[in-house]
Amino acid sequence: MAHIVAKSGDGPRGATDLPSGERDRYRNLILLCPTHHCEIDKNFHDWPVSRLEKIKTDHEHWVSEQLGNGKISVRELDNSKFFEERQRAYMELARNHIALVASLTPLRVSAGQIDTMEPVVQSLLEKAIIPGNDIDQKVNSYHTRPSEFGLVNEIFRELPKRTGHSYHIFESGHCEYFNELGSDTDRITQYTLEKGEDIKGASFVIRYTDVAEAIDRGITWLSSLWANLLPFEYLEFRCQVLNCKNSTLFSYEDDWKEGVFGYPTRSESLIYSDVLTRDTDFEHFSFDVLRWLAKCYGLVLHSKLDLHGKYRRPVTMR
């Protein structure tokens, strides 16, 4: 697996305007044998970007023709049934409340990839941080146990407390970071209604920093699992906000002490999905996910953090 435009600006063909966040994506990757990988990087003036892109495009066309003529076949990568089963499990865990789940999944889910009874798995599982007011609150090892899928740290408070988490490492290599955010949503919704804010007809309010922190913590934990445990070169990342239909996003209060809110969503769940490579820049990637979240509510996020290292709040376009 080689880069067409080098990951570093100092590398072969690296002095281009291709953003750093795009250099690990499919469009900039090409499969080469070790001999030719070495040749094109040592003699990069003879192997410009345009030549490599044409070689890749020609090969893709050839593969498509061979597939169409039945001369080669590829076992289909289809995790749809697995994702449907997990979606049902998430909805049950969420208990009809707002919840956030971030996950990494092998491109082909199969059993026996990881021995989840190894001590290192428990150690990595219990490095997950529970989101909440920027406090580094690690999970309680008392709540770690084996499951039918692997190893899980899980607790859900008795109703009416609408909060809980489930952090799960599967033997298949699938890993998920699930947080129920019902109680936080209740508090900000009540505060907003008591102030008489204009929430554009939404039924309830989600605070941006609550869900941003959950996403950020989840991505940090998942990337650590990939680096220290998961053997895969490619994984599918998913981020989902569950039970969010007719919710709005509270961003911040302006100078007139009026709240800045997004627009109500019409979807039961918001879903972000992308296939990542092992050397993904997760700090930049987490900004992409947060920017997606803001966009879903009609807001714009210009950067992840402000000058003080705090979450920058999304704003309206005007």
Side-chain angles (χ1 to χ4, degrees):
M1 179 65 66
H3 290 85
I4 295 174
V5 174
K7 188 169 184 178
S8 167
D10 298 329
R13 298 166 298 277
T16 75
D17 57 0
L18 186 67
S20 59
E22 296 293 322
R23 298 195 177 197
D24 288 330
R25 300 293 176 90
Y26 174 81
R27 59 173 286 200
N28 190 49
L29 299 176
I30 186 170
L31 284 172
L32 298 170
C33 70
T35 300
H36 283 96
H37 192 172
C38 182
E39 178 183 334
I40 70 166
D41 281 356
K42 282 187 175 180
N43 305 291
F44 58 88
H45 293 298
D46 296 330
W47 296 89
V49 171
S50 58
R51 185 179 180 186
L52 293 176
E53 288 180 337
K54 185 177 187 308
I55 290 172
K56 178 179 177 179
T57 300
D58 289 346
H59 183 68
E60 288 173 332
H61 289 163
W62 177 85
V63 171
S64 296
E65 290 176 0
Q66 301 306 304
L67 288 168
N69 295 330
K71 294 182 179 180
I72 60 174
S73 62
V74 178
R75 182 182 167 194
E76 187 174 358
L77 296 174
D78 184 6
N79 289 332
S80 57
K81 183 177 180 181
F82 175 80
F83 284 129
E84 288 171 4
E85 292 172 350
R86 293 316 302 156
Q87 192 72 16
R88 286 192 289 269
Y90 299 151
M91 298 307 289
E92 183 177 339
L93 290 174
R95 303 186 293 185
N96 296 319
H97 310 149
I98 283 283
L100 183 286
V101 57
S103 64
L104 285 176
T105 310
L107 301 187
R108 180 178 287 118
V109 174
S110 59
Q113 299 297 312
I114 295 171
D115 181 359
T116 54
M117 291 297 97
E118 289 288 334
V120 65
V121 178
Q122 180 176 351
S123 175
L124 290 168
L125 174 63
E126 293 174 355
K127 288 183 178 180
I129 302 297
I130 302 171
N133 301 318
D134 295 325
I135 299 173
D136 287 348
Q137 180 184 350
K138 292 185 178 180
V139 299
N140 188 335
S141 60
Y142 179 78
H143 300 131
T144 300
R145 60 174 175 80
S147 75
E148 66 269 41
F149 304 114
L151 195 68
V152 64
N153 184 287
E154 181 176 278
I155 182 173
F156 290 89
R157 308 296 179 187
E158 293 293 331
L159 295 176
K161 291 184 178 179
R162 310 199 307 165
T163 184
H165 74 260
S166 177
Y167 307 150
H168 214 148
I169 301 175
F170 283 42
E171 292 177 352
S172 66
H174 169 79
C175 303
E176 57 192 38
Y177 179 88
F178 178 101
N179 289 278
E180 183 187 23
L181 305 175
S183 292
D184 291 334
T185 302
D186 290 344
R187 285 192 289 270
I188 189 63
T189 299
Q190 182 179 357
Y191 171 79
T192 301
L193 294 176
E194 288 175 351
K195 286 195 66 178
E197 296 276 12
D198 177 14
I199 56 176
K200 305 176 179 69
S203 300
F204 56 99
V205 181
I206 306 170
R207 182 163 39 206
Y208 169 75
T209 50
D210 289 340
V211 69
E213 184 189 0
I215 290 173
D216 205 20
R217 302 281 196 196
I219 290 176
T220 298
W221 179 67
L222 291 169
S223 64
S224 174
L225 293 181
W226 198 349
N228 295 287
L229 179 66
L230 305 178
F232 312 101
E233 289 301 316
Y234 300 92
L235 289 169
E236 181 173 350
F237 171 85
R238 284 195 170 202
C239 179
Q240 301 183 61
V241 184
L242 308 174
N243 296 319
C244 60
K245 185 175 182 179
N246 208 35
S247 66
T248 188
L249 196 68
F250 169 62
S251 181
Y252 64 98
E253 289 185 334
D254 60 23
D255 293 338
W256 293 274
K257 301 301 181 182
E258 293 180 348
V260 175
F261 296 87
Y263 288 82
T265 57
R266 295 181 173 88
S267 302
E268 292 290 348
S269 298
L270 303 175
I271 302 176
Y272 178 103
S273 177
D274 196 3
V275 174
L276 307 181
T277 61
R278 177 175 286 276
D279 54 357
T280 294
D281 180 348
F282 281 97
E283 183 63 26
H284 186 277
F285 177 70
S286 64
F287 169 57
D288 287 343
V289 180
L290 295 179
R291 184 168 52 183
W292 158 81
L293 173 71
K295 182 178 71 69
C296 289
Y297 286 94
L299 299 173
V300 179
L301 184 66
H302 293 294
S303 63
K304 178 180 172 181
L305 302 175
D306 62 20
L307 296 176
H308 304 289
K310 301 294 184 180
Y311 288 115
R312 185 176 294 280
R313 312 303 175 87
V315 297
T316 58
M317 291 190 69
R318 57 183 181 275

